[in-house]
Amino acid sequence: MIGYWEYFCVALLEVFLGLKIVLSGDKINNNERNLIIMNHRTRLDWMFFWCVLFRDSNIATEKIVLKQPLKYVPGAGWAMQAASYIFLKRKWEDDKSYITDILNYLSQINHKSQILIFPEGTDFCPNSSKRSDAFAAKNNLETYKYVLHPRTTGFVYFLQTMRKNKHLDALYDITVAYPDELCSNELSFAFGKRPKTVHFHIDRHLVENLRETDEELTKWCQEKWREKEANLSAFYNETKNFNDERVG
Ligand SMILES: *[C@@H]1O[C@H](CO)[C@@H](O)[C@H](O)[C@H]1NC(C)=O
Ligand SMILES: *[C@@H]1O[C@H](CO)[C@@H](O)[C@H](O)[C@H]1NC(C)=O
Ligand SMILES: *[C@@H]1O[C@H](CO)[C@@H](O)[C@H](O)[C@H]1NC(C)=O
């Protein structure tokens, strides 16, 4: 049922609202168990990403990791609960055992999961960007203009748990960019402030090629975010394109 609802959203976006999707990099393999990480530029990135899953993969097996309050949004929130989307309180002691339970469950039922997590933890907006800059200053890191510094604990834990359960084939690292209109939230979307085009760059990493320890994975994730910042800086400043794009 949820899958059909998501197909409906894709149709609404692409057929009725004329959204164009531009892809570059790898394709998502629909026959695998995947963990997907992405930068979080707007509150609705995950909805536009359905258009990508619709092409290459299977929308219905996607589970998105979201903030707890979204669980209670009338209608949409209940539907997401029914689809067992993964809601985090962002209190690690509580979240950790919950994540373990749900990942073990998905592994036991041999679910072809595609789990989407936003390591930035929240969408990019002036306030979150300010917090990210403060974090950077405190930790002697560079400040970013196009992404937030990732919080790696959740991402690393998902990856390690799925790997331990032998329930992971590949990690997809995705960069999303909006060349024309950004829609910062649901309301501006409803009032017509919508992107006409969304670009996705997709990098696929097979699980056997990923680093082993938590520390190495943390470093790796931070490196990828540095790379995203550079790629997005070029994207927004100059080209409004990623390399080697194809129209999706
Ligand atoms: C951003 O932070 C300011 C002050 O800290 C607060 O008044 C405002 O409501 C915040 N805006 C959003 C969108 O959260
Ligand atoms: C950044 O762009 C380069 C060149 O197109 C690409 O190979 C790389 O995968 C991109 N990095 C990320 C994290 O998207
Ligand atoms: C992007 O534009 C800003 C201001 O126009 C400039 O200072 C910066 O060097 C540019 N960055 C790149 C990567 O071209």
Side-chain angles (χ1 to χ4, degrees):
M1 286 295 290
I2 298 292
Y4 285 121
W5 158 251
E6 291 167 356
Y7 282 129
F8 171 72
C9 289
V10 171
L12 194 69
L13 287 169
E14 297 198 29
V15 179
F16 294 103
L17 301 177
L19 178 75
K20 200 174 123 206
I21 301 291
V22 181
L23 301 170
S24 60
D26 299 317
K27 276 191 137 195
I28 297 181
N29 186 334
N30 68 7
N31 215 15
E32 291 179 338
R33 288 115 0 129
N34 302 322
L35 182 63
I36 302 167
I37 56 176
M38 181 155 78
N39 63 309
H40 205 350
R41 184 62 190 81
T42 77
R43 284 170 59 108
L44 295 173
D45 299 325
W46 47 271
M47 186 173 74
F48 299 119
F49 185 63
W50 284 342
C51 301
V52 179
L53 289 178
F54 170 76
R55 285 166 172 70
D56 288 350
S57 185
N58 185 352
I59 293 188
T61 58
E62 188 198 28
K63 308 276 173 228
I64 308 179
V65 182
L66 298 161
K67 288 187 258 188
Q68 174 95 348
L70 291 170
K71 193 170 173 175
Y72 306 110
V73 175
W78 306 335
M80 292 192 282
Q81 285 190 54
S84 66
Y85 279 19
I86 302 169
F87 294 95
L88 300 187
K89 295 182 185 155
R90 304 203 293 170
K91 279 214 316 256
W92 187 238
E93 313 80 70
D94 294 347
D95 288 338
K96 189 175 173 187
S97 61
Y98 171 64
I99 295 169
T100 313
D101 285 349
I102 196 147
L103 290 180
N104 289 348
Y105 170 72
L106 291 171
S107 154
Q108 276 157 19
I109 64 169
N110 207 8
H111 187 262
K112 282 237 157 47
S113 316
Q114 327 215 34
I115 297 179
L116 170 62
I117 182 168
F118 293 100
E120 288 163 65
T122 188
D123 59 302
F124 188 98
C125 65
N127 281 6
S128 60
S129 178
K130 234 187 274 165
R131 278 199 301 277
S132 174
D133 289 351
F135 174 83
K138 209 171 115 205
N139 293 282
N140 228 347
L141 303 166
E142 64 266 63
T143 55
Y144 289 156
K145 269 166 65 185
Y146 302 96
V147 292
L148 306 174
H149 279 278
R151 303 149 173 241
T152 51
T153 311
F155 156 66
V156 169
Y157 192 74
F158 269 90
L159 200 156
Q160 297 290 50
T161 308
M162 290 173 81
R163 178 147 70 179
K164 197 176 77 205
N165 288 344
K166 303 211 180 317
H167 191 240
L168 181 66
D169 297 305
L171 170 68
Y172 286 86
D173 175 26
I174 299 188
T175 310
V176 60
Y178 299 85
D180 42 66
E181 193 75 71
L182 281 160
C183 85
S184 43
N185 60 41
E186 297 77 359
L187 214 59
S188 64
F189 182 86
F191 284 103
K193 203 166 170 299
R194 289 185 281 264
K196 290 180 202 61
T197 309
V198 185
H199 294 235
F200 290 93
H201 177 79
I202 303 174
D203 281 332
R204 174 168 186 253
H205 303 276
L206 284 175
V207 65
E208 52 268 31
N209 298 334
L210 292 171
R211 312 217 178 139
E212 289 298 326
T213 68
D214 291 7
E215 292 72 31
E216 287 172 322
L217 286 166
T218 297
K219 266 238 182 76
W220 180 87
C221 182
Q222 288 163 343
E223 271 163 34
K224 287 294 154 191
W225 251 253
R226 202 168 302 131
E227 229 177 284
K228 283 189 199 311
E229 170 75 13
N231 287 4
L232 287 169
S233 167
F235 183 99
Y236 284 110
N237 243 358
E238 302 161 14
T239 54
K240 305 270 175 178
N241 276 312
F242 291 128
N243 284 345
D244 302 327
E245 291 188 327
R246 59 186 189 274
V247 173

